[in-house]
């Protein structure tokens, strides 16, 4: 049945091929051209297009690999100077690249659903048919399904207490797209508590400090650091430039399309105050209350205090702390520990979305997929469907 659902989804995605696509289509076409034609030393310096390479190295290598297939479809698409190039074969290739890479997401959905008893088909359907993921990847055009596959595989391994495998997969994910730093605090606390301490708390209150394993800390550290060394090693001489591309703080507090978070309310409040002050003839420090921009640009607030990246970082971290503290004090029950981890991961994503710097509205997927899928799979499917099955057997 799962295979039939997967085939149906693929058919739907193929139908999406001629539909609308956003500027992200040109972003990824440009990255194909950059990685194919330039040396690695030039990847993070090239700026012929306004859509410069700003993903971590592993994703750049993915584009590099895809570029060698792309040239057989249409060699013109991998020329750096061919800005906004959209031949029919280019569209077909880029759409198919997302569809094919989505097979990994389908496998990760199956991996998570296999953890469930009677409700695994429901979980698989919920994971693979997320409407937001379909719209963003197959209409708007991105590779989020491919990226979420690593997150789902990592969560699946974590639930099965395969900690090192989970850590490797998450480290790879961070080196594909660094926005997943949003949920890194949950991983750090959970791995420290469940892997670096070999004895679980029996009462959920006290930490068995005597069980701290330096050996496990070293193993975990070497495992994670190795992934980063492999990823960033070829760019070590250009690390400041790479970092400046990955974290372009001058892009401003908000994206061109405001994510519905705290800063959207803050900006709206500033606009209202700015308008009110002008109506009553009061002077304001700037003439226009504009705080957004998709590319590199930065604006001051007109009335309210202007926000800096450090402010958003502190607020984000402070709002995460209660969930991280609760995650630390885990009991010995494996099911409870798994649910707590997924819940904390979702809360960390929510805090980052609400208070982070230059948050894109599509980041809401980082909340919705773990919240509506994995947590539902662990809690609702296992207990609800399990109880239904028990009732049926008793009848």
């Amino acid at each position: 049945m799962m295979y039939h659902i997967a085939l149906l989804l693929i058919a739907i995605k193929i139908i999406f091929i001629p539909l609308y696509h956003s500027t992200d289509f040109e972003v990824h076409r440009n990255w194909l051209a950059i990685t194919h034609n330039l040396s690695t030393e030039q990847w993070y310096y090239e700026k012929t297009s306004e859509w410069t390479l700003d993903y971590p190295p592993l994703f750049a290598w993915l584009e590099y690999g895809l570029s060698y297939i792309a040239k057989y479809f249409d060699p013109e698409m991998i020329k750096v100077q061919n800005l906004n190039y959209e031949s029919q074969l280019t569209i077909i290739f880029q759409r198919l690249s997302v569809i094919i890479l989505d097979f990994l997401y389908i496998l990760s959905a199956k991996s998570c659903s296999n953890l469930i008893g009677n409700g695994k088909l429901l979980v698989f359907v919920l994971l693979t048919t997320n409407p937001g993921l379909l719209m963003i990847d197959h209409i708007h055009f991105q590779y989020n399904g491919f990226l979420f596959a690593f997150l789902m595989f990592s969560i699946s391994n974590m639930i099965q207490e395969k900690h090192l495998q989970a850590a490797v997969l998450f480290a790879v994910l961070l080196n594909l797209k660094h926005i997943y730093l949003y949920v890194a605090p949950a991983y750090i606390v959970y791995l420290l508590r469940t892997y670096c301490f070999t004895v679980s708390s029996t009462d959920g209150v006290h930490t068995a400090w005597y069980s701290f394993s330096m050996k496990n800390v070293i193993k975990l550290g070497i495992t994670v650091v190795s992934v980063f060394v492999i990823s960033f090693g070829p760019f070590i001489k250009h690390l400041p430039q790479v970092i400046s591309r990955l974290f372009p703080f001058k892009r401003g507090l908000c994206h061109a399309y405001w994510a519905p978070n705290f800063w959207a309310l803050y900006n709206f409040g500033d606009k209202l105050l700015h308008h009110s002050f002008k109506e009553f003839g009061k002077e304001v420090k700037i003439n226009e209350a504009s705080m957004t921009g998709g590319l590199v640009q930065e604006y001051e607030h007109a009335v309210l205090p202007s926000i800096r990246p450090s402010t958003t970082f502190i607020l984000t971290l402070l709002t995460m702390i209660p969930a991280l503290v609760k995650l630390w004090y885990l009991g010995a029950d494996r099911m409870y520990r798994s649910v707590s981890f997924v819940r904390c991961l979702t809360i960390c994503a929510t805090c980052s979305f609400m208070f982070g710097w230059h948050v894109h509205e599509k980041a809401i997927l980082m909340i919705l997929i773990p919240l509506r899928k994995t947590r539902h799979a662990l809690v609702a499917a296992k207990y609800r469907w399990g109880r239904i099955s028990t009732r049926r057997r008793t009848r």
Side-chain angles (χ1 to χ4, degrees), residues 53-94:
L53 179 60
D54 58 6
Y55 272 28
L58 289 188
F59 197 92
W61 285 113
L62 172 66
E63 296 279 9
Y64 175 77
L66 289 174
S67 71
Y68 278 90
I69 305 173
K71 71 178 182 179
Y72 291 106
F73 279 75
D74 186 349
E76 295 297 313
M77 85 170 80
I78 56 173
K79 292 183 178 180
V80 176
Q81 304 301 326
N82 279 355
L83 302 182
N84 300 308
Y85 186 77
E86 294 184 2
S87 71
Q88 192 64 41
L89 286 175
T90 299
I91 293 171
I92 290 172
F93 167 76
Q94 291 198 220

Side-chain angles (χ1 to χ4, degrees), residues 338-358:
S338 300
V339 171
S340 296
F341 168 66
V342 179
R343 183 185 293 125
C344 185
L345 184 147
T346 306
I347 291 172
C348 287
T350 304
C351 294
S352 298
F353 183 86
M354 291 301 296
F355 298 104
W357 179 267
H358 199 77

Side-chain angles (χ1 to χ4, degrees), residues 141-161:
F141 191 83
Q142 281 195 354
Y143 292 89
N144 289 286
F146 169 73
L147 297 169
F148 271 109
F150 287 89
L151 181 64
M152 301 305 292
F153 274 129
S154 180
I155 292 173
S156 176
N157 277 274
M158 194 76 88
I159 292 169
Q160 297 175 73
E161 299 186 346

Side-chain angles (χ1 to χ4, degrees), residues 10 78 101 112 118-119 129 146 168 174 203 207 229 270 273 294 298 302 318 321 346 354 377 383 392:
I10 293 168
I78 56 173
L101 288 173
C112 284
N118 297 327
T129 60
F146 169 73
V168 168
L174 289 178
D203 56 8
T207 302
V229 169
D270 188 65
L273 290 172
E298 195 170 16
L318 287 175
I321 286 176
T346 306
M354 291 301 296
Y383 288 106
R392 286 175 178 171

Side-chain angles (χ1 to χ4, degrees), residues 264-276:
L265 297 176
Y266 191 86
N267 290 343
F268 180 66
D270 188 65
K271 284 183 176 289
L272 285 180
L273 290 172
H274 178 263
H275 179 74
S276 300

Side-chain angles (χ1 to χ4, degrees), residues 43-57:
W43 285 1
Y44 288 94
Y45 289 92
E46 212 289 326
K47 54 181 180 180
T48 300
S49 169
E50 59 185 347
W51 311 114
T52 54
L53 179 60
D54 58 6
Y55 272 28

